[in-house]
């Protein structure tokens, strides 16, 4: 017999044809990718510099060698595979019920699972560009080259920057606009794997005007009281119950 909260979620999904999924780091932890703020997350591990400082625009510009040493060690998600949550939402998209995935993650696992309409608020490890000539370079090059990645175009040699949003940088306005539109038009918004403490991304749910807001997270969030349904379980346990 299914848990009553999961049964309620299934009914909401079945009765909705404009679903938007908004996911954070907790979506990918069950694929083996560490999050940032949990007790075992990146921000609670010891490095020569605090991770928040390393992942800032200023640090990148002033200490690119140190930045890439950390980035290659901790941000390389090429070897990881989608988990049940990524797969289920890909299937919902295939059925025409899911209109958009909005993610705070940079690992590309939603696309790896087959999802098409993915809005990456914080960019992606798969997009990298030369800061001089804007030539695009793939992730394999960035993670496998020694030292600072340099442009492969003859006579350029510019630093290749991952197209991820660092501290002190703004989110992509076009991506944010599409996310706002998707949430504003949704009749069901499922928010999962995020503590909803990172702004401005967490403020996006303020644009939701639909029927049901669902929050799924192991821990409580400050916005639980606004939700129509709150499930404090692991995402794998929840989405493995969905028959899609």
């Amino acid at each position: 017999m299914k848990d009553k909260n999961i049964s309620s979620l299934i009914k909401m999904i079945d009765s909705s044809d404009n679903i938007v999924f908004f996911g954070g780091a907790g979506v990918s932890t069950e694929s083996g990718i560490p999050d940032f703020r949990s007790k075992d997350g990146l921000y609670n591990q010891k490095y020569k510099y605090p991770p928040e400082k390393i992942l800032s625009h200023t640090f990148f510009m002033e200490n690119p060698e140190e930045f890439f040493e950390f980035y290659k060690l901790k941000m390389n998600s090429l070897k990881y595979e989608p988990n049940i949550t990524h797969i289920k939402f890909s299937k919902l998209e295939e059925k025409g019920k899911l209109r958009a995935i909005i993610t705070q993650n940079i690992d590309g696992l939603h696309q790896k699972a087959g999802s098409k309409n993915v809005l990456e608020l914080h960019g992606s490890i798969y997009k990298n560009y030369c800061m001089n000539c804007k030539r695009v370079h793939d992730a394999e090059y960035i993670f496998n080259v020694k030292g600072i990645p340099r442009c492969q175009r003859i006579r350029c040699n510019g630093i290749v920057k991952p197209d991820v949003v660092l501290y002190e940088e703004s989110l992509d306005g076009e991506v944010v606009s599409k996310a706002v539109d998707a949430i504003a038009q949704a009749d069901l918004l499922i928010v999962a794997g995020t503590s909803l403490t990172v702004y401005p991304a967490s403020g996006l749910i303020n644009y939701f005007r639909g029927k049901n807001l669902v929050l799924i997270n192991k821990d409580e969030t400050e916005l639980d009281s606004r939700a129509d349904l709150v499930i404090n379980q692991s995402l794998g346990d929840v989405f493995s119950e969905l028959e899609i």
Side-chain angles (χ1 to χ4, degrees):
M1 184 175 178
K2 285 185 172 64
D3 175 277
K4 67 176 183 178
N5 284 335
I6 295 178
S7 295
S8 295
L9 175 62
I10 292 172
K11 289 178 182 177
M12 290 177 181
I13 291 173
D14 287 344
S15 63
S16 301
D17 61 6
N18 190 336
I19 303 170
V20 170
F21 178 64
F22 178 25
V27 176
S28 293
T29 53
E30 291 178 29
S31 290
I33 298 176
D35 64 7
F36 288 86
R37 291 173 173 79
S38 71
K39 64 179 181 179
D40 297 317
L42 288 180
Y43 289 173
N44 291 311
Q45 298 178 24
K46 300 297 181 183
Y47 306 99
K48 188 187 304 184
Y49 303 95
E52 299 97 318
K53 182 176 182 179
I54 298 172
L55 295 173
S56 69
H57 178 81
T58 298
F59 191 90
F60 170 79
M61 297 300 292
E62 294 178 352
N63 305 277
E65 192 164 349
E66 293 274 5
F67 171 88
F68 278 109
E69 182 180 334
F70 178 88
Y71 181 82
K72 293 176 190 179
L73 181 65
K74 297 298 181 180
M75 301 291 145
N76 187 354
S77 55
L78 295 178
K79 66 180 180 180
Y80 296 101
E81 295 298 326
N83 59 53
I84 190 67
T85 303
H86 300 105
I87 293 167
K88 292 291 185 175
F89 280 100
S90 174
K91 291 182 177 180
L92 275 177
E93 186 183 58
E94 281 183 17
K95 293 182 69 173
K97 295 177 74 68
L98 181 77
R99 302 300 176 87
I101 290 172
I102 303 166
T103 180
Q104 294 173 284
N105 299 330
I106 62 173
D107 51 49
L109 290 184
H110 281 294
Q111 292 94 327
K112 210 169 184 178
S115 293
K116 301 293 190 293
N117 190 22
V118 182
L119 300 172
E120 297 170 308
L121 293 174
H122 296 153
S124 171
I125 66 164
Y126 288 93
K127 301 171 185 176
N128 306 273
Y129 65 92
C130 171
M131 297 177 70
N132 283 347
C133 72
K134 307 303 181 186
R135 176 174 175 171
V136 175
H137 294 68
D138 62 32
E140 287 78 6
Y141 170 68
I142 301 300
F143 288 113
N144 292 322
V145 71
K146 291 184 179 180
I148 300 171
R150 295 282 180 176
C151 184
Q152 295 176 296
R153 177 168 285 162
I154 297 173
R155 292 188 296 277
C156 179
N157 201 42
I159 294 177
V160 179
K161 183 184 184 296
D163 196 8
V164 299
V165 179
L166 303 176
Y167 288 105
E168 305 167 351
E169 295 180 344
S170 300
L171 303 186
D172 184 297
E174 183 177 352
V175 174
V176 172
S177 179
K178 289 180 178 179
V180 167
D181 288 345
I183 289 173
Q185 295 173 32
D187 55 32
L188 170 60
L189 175 61
I190 302 174
V191 182
T194 174
S195 59
L196 293 171
T197 57
V198 178
Y199 285 86
S202 60
L204 289 174
I205 69 171
N206 294 326
Y207 294 94
F208 180 63
R209 299 290 183 269
K211 185 177 181 182
N212 291 304
L213 171 62
V214 178
L215 299 183
I216 306 171
N217 201 49
K218 285 185 178 180
D219 302 314
E220 296 179 356
T221 77
E222 294 179 1
L223 298 179
D224 283 1
S225 61
R226 292 177 52 181
D228 300 287
L229 176 64
V230 176
I231 304 178
N232 293 131
Q233 297 182 38
S234 76
L235 274 61
D237 289 345
V238 173
F239 293 111
S240 63
E241 293 289 327
L242 303 187
E243 298 176 2
I244 303 169

